[in-house]
């Protein structure tokens, strides 16, 4: 079935550092891809999405490009802030539901 | 538009008791989904409705679980004879599916269930 794999472990980095979170997927067809963010004590919020190959989703300084050839949708931000500390989930939409990765906790230190 | 709401936000119950959660989706949305999220994991699909029809249930949804969306608006998720393994965050999401409309799902804040 459809699945999403995110890199293992939390990510800790200093303010203004470059952030990358890896995400790869397995799916039949060409699913839509998403990044969701969960801030402490809050619900899941859509961060960005891409619906077809080579699309780039972007929002709040975050970007991710739908790469069909490598089945990847890596999340990047050039300069993180303390307020970016959260859990980030990669997801794909297929077979009438979202399939999520395990999530990565990002901690940004001032 | 007040977004997706869920009640209660927290529920503590003893093993063997029944619990019921409610989800109110965004008003014009025709699809409603339930997911379960355990600590350190991403949400896992449980079931979804299109209007009032329950179209699919995951194998995760045992016979002790039942969901309804009686008038195609709010939904309830009931767990009978709760077990400690049912402890999790239960998430509801809604979306508008149709021609020219995206598959974006909007999530509620979740109901955290603790079974003692």
């Amino acid at each position: 079935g459809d699945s999403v794999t995110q890199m293992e472990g939390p990510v800790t980095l200093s303010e203004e550092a470059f952030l990358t979170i890896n995400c790869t997927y397995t799916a039949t067809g060409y699913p839509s891809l998403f990044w969701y963010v969960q801030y402490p004590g809050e619900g899941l919020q859509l961060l960005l999405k891409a619906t077809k190959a080579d699309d780039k989703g972007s929002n709040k300084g975050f970007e991710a490009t739908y790469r069909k050839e490598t089945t990847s949708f890596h999340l990047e931000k050039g300069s993180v802030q303390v307020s970016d500390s959260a859990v980030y989930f990669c997801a794909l939409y297929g077979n009438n539901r979202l399939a999520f990765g395990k999530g990565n906790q990002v901690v940004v230190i001032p | 538009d007040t977004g997706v709401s869920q009640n209660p936000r927290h529920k503590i119950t003893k093993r063997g008791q029944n619990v019921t959660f409610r989800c109110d989706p965004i008003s014009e949305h025709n699809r409603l989904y339930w997911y379960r999220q355990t600590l350190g994991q991403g949400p896992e699909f449980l079931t979804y409705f299109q209007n009032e029809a329950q179209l699919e249930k995951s194998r995760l949804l045992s016979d002790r679980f039942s969901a309804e969306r009686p008038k195609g608006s709010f939904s309830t998720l009931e767990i009978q004879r709760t077990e400690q393994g049912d402890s999790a965050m239960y998430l509801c999401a809604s979306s508008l599916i149709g021609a020219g409309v995206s598959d974006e799902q909007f999530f509620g804040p979740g109901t955290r269930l603790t079974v003692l």
Side-chain angles (χ1 to χ4, degrees):
Chain A
D2 296 348
S3 66
V4 174
T5 301
Q6 291 183 234
M7 54 190 280
E8 290 290 329
V11 178
T12 302
L13 59 169
S14 299
E15 204 166 22
E16 298 183 1
F18 185 87
L19 171 68
T20 298
I21 304 177
N22 290 340
C23 170
T24 57
Y25 67 90
T26 302
T28 53
Y30 304 104
S32 296
L33 300 175
F34 302 84
W35 278 98
Y36 279 85
V37 59
Q38 191 169 36
Y39 297 103
E42 298 185 17
L44 282 168
Q45 300 175 24
L46 178 65
L47 180 60
L48 55 83
K49 67 178 183 181
T51 57
K52 60 183 187 297
D54 299 326
D55 267 3
K56 178 185 283 188
S58 61
N59 186 25
K60 299 182 181 180
F62 290 89
E63 293 183 340
T65 301
Y66 192 143
R67 301 287 189 197
K68 187 177 68 173
E69 62 276 12
T70 55
T71 61
S72 65
F73 192 54
H74 304 321
L75 182 68
E76 297 181 336
K77 185 173 185 181
S79 176
V80 293
Q81 305 301 313
V82 172
S83 58
D84 294 324
S85 297
V87 181
Y88 293 80
F89 294 93
C90 185
L92 68 82
Y93 182 81
N95 297 319
N96 297 306
R97 85 284 302 272
L98 287 169
F100 287 87
K102 290 186 177 183
N104 288 99
Q105 176 150 21
V106 172
V107 177
V108 180
I109 300 170
Chain B
D1 177 7
T2 57
V4 179
S5 61
Q6 292 186 246
N7 288 287
R9 294 290 304 274
H10 303 273
K11 179 70 177 178
I12 300 174
T13 191
K14 293 182 179 178
R15 189 178 56 185
Q17 298 295 304
N18 299 343
V19 294
T20 300
F21 311 140
R22 176 177 169 127
C23 171
D24 288 88
I26 293 172
S27 58
E28 66 270 22
H29 284 185
N30 52 8
R31 279 215 180 162
L32 187 147
Y33 304 81
W34 285 98
Y35 293 85
R36 181 170 68 187
Q37 184 178 17
T38 54
L39 198 61
Q41 302 295 317
E44 296 173 294
F45 170 79
L46 293 178
T47 187
Y48 85 96
F49 294 82
Q50 176 129 348
N51 300 313
E52 67 275 10
Q54 187 174 18
L55 296 186
E56 190 171 347
K57 294 191 290 187
S58 162
R59 286 170 295 184
L60 292 176
L61 218 62
S62 76
D63 291 345
R64 297 184 296 106
F65 288 70
S66 62
E68 294 182 343
R69 194 183 183 198
K71 297 182 179 179
S73 57
F74 73 92
S75 175
T76 58
L77 177 68
E78 181 183 16
I79 309 175
Q80 296 183 329
R81 304 181 303 283
T82 52
E83 301 173 355
Q84 288 183 326
D86 298 331
S87 295
M89 178 76 85
Y90 290 84
L91 298 171
C92 176
S94 69
S95 68
L96 181 61
I97 296 291
V101 180
S102 76
D103 45 22
E104 179 179 343
Q105 295 183 21
F106 295 81
F107 282 81
T111 294
R112 182 169 296 284
L113 173 66
T114 302
V115 182
L116 301 176

